[in-house]
Amino acid sequence: MTDVFIVKWIFAFSPILTVLVLMIFKNWSGSRAGAAGWFVSLIIATLIFGAHPELIAHSQMKGILLSLNVLYIIWAALFLYHVVNETGAIRAIGIGIQRFSGDKSIQILIFGWIFASFLQGVAGYGVPIAVVAPLLVALGFSPVVSVAVPAIGHSWSVTFGSMGASFQALMAVSGLESSYLAPWSAALLGVATFLCGIFAVYAYDGWKMVKHSLMAILIIGTTMAGTQYILSVSGMWTLGGFGASLAGLCSGLAVAKLKIYNQTPPSQTQPEMGLWWALAAYFILIVIVSTGVMIPAVNAFLGQAKLSFAFPEIISLKGWVVAAGPGKAINIFGHGGALLFYSSVISFFVYLAKGFYKPQAIKTILQKTVKSGVPTSLGIVSMVCFAMIMDHCQMIYILAEGISRVFGSIYPLVAPWIGLLGAFMTGSNTNSNVVFGVLQQETAHLAGLSAALILAAQTTGGALGSMIAPAKILVGCSTVGLAGKEGPVLKTTLRYGLVITGIIGIITALASFII
Amino acid sequence: MDNFFKKHALKLKAIALILMLVIPFFLYTAAMQGSIVQIKLLLALMIGTMLFVLKKG
């Protein structure tokens, strides 16, 4: 590599490095660090890579179209979560599960692995750890274990959880279809499903407990990984994480009735709300998403209105050409976010009719949705916009070229680590996919590797990064009185997160030799 | 001033988010019309919004 190329590579890396340093060492929020990255990329792109005002204008518009695709799902998912949570249903689901088994390993698996994944499927953004950690403390687990276990346990479901927001982001930035990306993503995340279950139990009580729960992990893991794979490859990736964890919940409750796991009497606490009513919103969601995705007439009807823009060919002052073409279209009424929104509204009226809400509940729901949605959205928009500036000025291409020259054929081993790094620094699989998705795709292309496999490794690493993301650990620790004492939790999750990512890297490398 | 930001933090962030989402649409229109002056003005507005997010986001 020439000296000039190395200098250009360092400049191209500087926006990402800025975000990394500010989030990891300065504890900045995603939105502030994203804005800083945006400024650095704007300056470097203009001074070094030949960006001009017209190029910046088009890149920002493309960035907003990508952001809107992701934000649509995030806001609708948050709205649905608050519609449900405001009735007390999340707590009722927790108590309902607790009444099935008194076995500690089963409790760890059901709460820390399955229920946390279920919450990731319907909400995400730190909710699984924040909700499950206090429930585990109440069951008698230590605070460190109570935060670490759901952090490890839910990670496998992050990509297809939150109604597939992270997967949507991966499709948006790469421009590739779900039918191409889903099989490898679901396969690698399927492997991660088992590993997360094993290490969640191991974090509680070592190999002895893993041996005791091995049968449960195999049955439940196969159910969840299999369901996620089927839903994802059949086009219902918005339900991938949610459907898989719901199936896992059913198999987990069945496994809890096996003789070896049923020797300690379960809790007799009665929930204020029946389990079926608590789950009603999610049954409505399944019906609406299935109808919207699987019935061609409904799908075509909802898909009539699309927001789409055409972009001309853009050439930077240094001669880098971005081809003309349409930006990411937004299917206004048939988008995953729209289907979620319909489900939320119907669920709200069902719960209202049954009298589950306090007066002024809608105001509280909207306030909570806005409060949690705005900071997340600021982070996503600023990061997507700076990623688009980088993409339009050859910066991502130069990064990818440098990585492929250094790592060459062993790049698949490295790919999940890049995803993990992205999630660690931004606290989000979605942001990781946005920042590094195009880079990984370009590197795969230059190294002659399957983009589907490398992007699957990227998003799997990004999902696993959720267990070590300081932003999420902080949320969990604050709910169990560990605020300011996050170190031991991070130490635990870091250890297992690195091991699982290493295994995924080896599997990706092996798979790259086969395909 | 700090009190004002603290009191209205969420509203101000929401306004910043709306601006971040809306300005690029105008930028696109200006770029399609080839109006460099409009693009520069809108970019200045975008920079101002990002500066707010950088400080208070």
Side-chain angles (χ1 to χ4, degrees):
Chain A
M1 275 196 281
T2 63
D3 289 348
V4 176
F5 183 84
I6 293 170
V7 172
K8 278 174 87 173
W9 194 93
I10 292 168
F11 274 122
F13 187 61
S14 58
I16 294 170
L17 186 68
T18 305
V19 174
L20 275 174
V21 169
L22 292 176
M23 289 195 76
I24 296 169
F25 298 108
K26 298 284 177 187
N27 285 328
W28 279 31
S29 64
S31 50
R32 290 187 69 200
W38 187 85
F39 275 110
V40 175
S41 65
L42 185 71
I43 293 164
I44 299 286
T46 309
L47 297 179
I48 313 284
F49 292 95
H52 49 82
E54 210 177 329
L55 180 148
I56 301 288
H58 285 302
S59 72
Q60 295 310 280
M61 183 59 188
K62 285 183 191 174
I64 290 306
L65 291 175
L66 297 182
S67 303
L68 286 173
N69 263 294
V70 180
L71 295 184
Y72 203 170
I73 288 181
I74 288 176
W75 279 82
L78 284 170
F79 182 55
L80 176 67
Y81 172 73
H82 289 298
V83 160
V84 177
N85 192 37
E86 205 55 28
T87 62
I90 299 292
R91 190 177 135 75
I93 294 170
I95 294 172
I97 295 167
Q98 199 180 322
R99 295 177 69 224
F100 276 84
S101 178
D103 187 287
K104 286 288 179 193
S105 70
I106 289 295
Q107 288 181 349
I108 283 280
L109 287 176
I110 290 185
F111 279 100
W113 190 33
I114 312 170
F115 187 52
S117 306
F118 173 79
L119 290 171
Q120 179 61 40
V122 299
Y125 318 108
V127 169
I129 310 175
V131 171
V132 171
L135 290 172
L136 286 176
V137 169
L139 286 172
F141 295 96
S142 79
V144 172
V145 166
S146 301
V147 180
V149 164
I152 298 165
H154 87 287
S155 297
W156 67 273
S157 70
V158 177
T159 293
F160 290 110
S162 309
M163 297 301 137
S166 303
F167 190 67
Q168 169 74 60
L170 190 69
M171 287 196 301
V173 294
S174 66
L176 298 169
E177 294 297 321
S178 66
S179 53
Y180 178 70
L181 290 173
W184 272 112
S185 300
L188 288 187
L189 287 161
V191 176
T193 308
F194 292 97
L195 295 172
C196 288
I198 290 169
F199 283 104
V201 175
Y202 183 84
Y204 167 55
D205 202 17
W207 288 118
K208 193 182 158 196
M209 194 55 95
V210 172
K211 202 176 158 192
H212 172 68
S213 21
L214 204 56
M215 192 198 291
I217 293 172
L218 284 174
I219 295 171
I220 300 165
T222 307
T223 308
M224 294 200 292
T227 308
Q228 178 169 260
Y229 188 88
I230 291 165
L231 286 171
S232 311
V233 300
S234 60
M236 294 174 69
W237 49 267
T238 45
L239 288 180
F242 164 69
S245 52
L246 197 63
L249 211 52
C250 297
S251 70
L253 297 179
V255 166
K257 294 292 167 199
L258 292 175
K259 202 177 171 186
I260 51 164
Y261 300 124
N262 209 13
Q263 287 167 1
T264 318
S267 159
Q268 294 303 315
T269 316
Q270 288 290 337
E272 293 158 12
M273 187 186 209
L275 188 60
W276 295 113
W277 273 113
L279 288 167
Y282 301 116
F283 294 131
I284 292 169
L285 176 69
I286 292 174
V287 172
I288 288 183
V289 174
S290 311
T291 309
V293 173
M294 295 182 81
I295 300 177
V298 178
N299 191 282
F301 177 73
L302 292 173
Q304 290 178 68
K306 284 187 179 169
L307 184 67
S308 177
F309 291 86
F311 291 90
E313 184 182 77
I314 309 162
I315 306 171
S316 77
L317 298 175
K318 299 281 181 184
W320 176 252
V321 181
V322 178
K328 182 77 184 167
I330 300 169
N331 183 352
I332 296 171
F333 300 110
H335 193 276
L339 301 177
L340 259 169
F341 183 70
Y342 307 146
S343 312
S344 310
V345 173
I346 294 170
S347 304
F348 175 78
F349 284 111
V350 168
Y351 285 134
L352 189 69
K354 286 295 292 177
F356 286 125
Y357 288 119
K358 291 174 189 161
Q360 302 286 310
I362 186 67
K363 197 180 165 191
T364 315
I365 291 166
L366 291 174
Q367 276 174 345
K368 286 183 177 174
T369 305
V370 171
K371 201 176 174 184
S372 42
V374 168
T376 313
S377 306
L378 283 173
I380 288 172
V381 174
S382 54
M383 291 206 198
V384 172
C385 284
F386 94 65
M388 282 297 106
I389 294 176
M390 291 175 68
D391 185 45
H392 278 62
C393 300
Q394 203 192 0
M395 290 160 81
I396 287 181
Y397 183 84
I398 285 172
L399 284 177
E401 199 183 341
I403 294 169
S404 74
R405 281 192 204 177
V406 171
F407 292 104
S409 60
I410 61 155
Y411 181 70
L413 211 60
V414 182
W417 292 95
I418 295 175
L420 183 93
L421 179 73
F424 177 73
M425 75 186 205
T426 63
S428 151
N429 187 186
T430 304
N431 288 349
S432 173
N433 287 351
V434 166
V435 175
F436 291 123
V438 182
L439 167 74
Q440 297 254 31
Q441 188 184 8
E442 288 283 356
T443 312
H445 176 69
L446 289 169
L449 297 160
S450 158
L453 177 64
I454 296 301
L455 288 172
Q458 151 66 32
T459 198
T460 306
L464 295 170
S466 292
M467 77 173 79
I468 59 165
K472 292 190 175 179
I473 298 292
L474 286 169
V475 172
C477 287
S478 68
T479 60
V480 295
L482 280 179
K485 297 171 192 161
E486 294 85 7
V489 177
L490 195 58
K491 202 175 154 191
T492 309
T493 57
L494 200 59
R495 196 184 307 148
Y496 306 127
L498 299 184
V499 172
I500 299 172
T501 308
I503 296 171
I504 294 296
I506 293 166
I507 292 170
T508 309
L510 292 173
S512 72
F513 290 121
I514 299 167
I515 58 171
Chain B
M1 196 69 170
D2 267 359
N3 278 344
F4 175 81
F5 278 123
K6 271 181 194 164
K7 197 177 171 188
H8 300 285
L10 189 62
K11 276 183 198 164
L12 290 169
K13 282 180 193 175
I15 292 169
L17 177 63
I18 292 166
L19 282 173
M20 281 165 78
L21 293 173
V22 170
I23 293 169
F25 282 89
F26 290 108
L27 271 171
Y28 173 78
T29 312
M32 292 305 275
Q33 288 171 352
S35 171
I36 297 294
V37 178
Q38 275 187 54
I39 294 175
K40 284 182 177 172
L41 280 173
L42 288 162
L43 277 177
L45 194 59
M46 188 83 173
I47 287 170
T49 310
M50 283 292 186
L51 212 57
F52 170 79
V53 177
L54 181 70
K55 296 286 282 178
K56 304 286 173 187

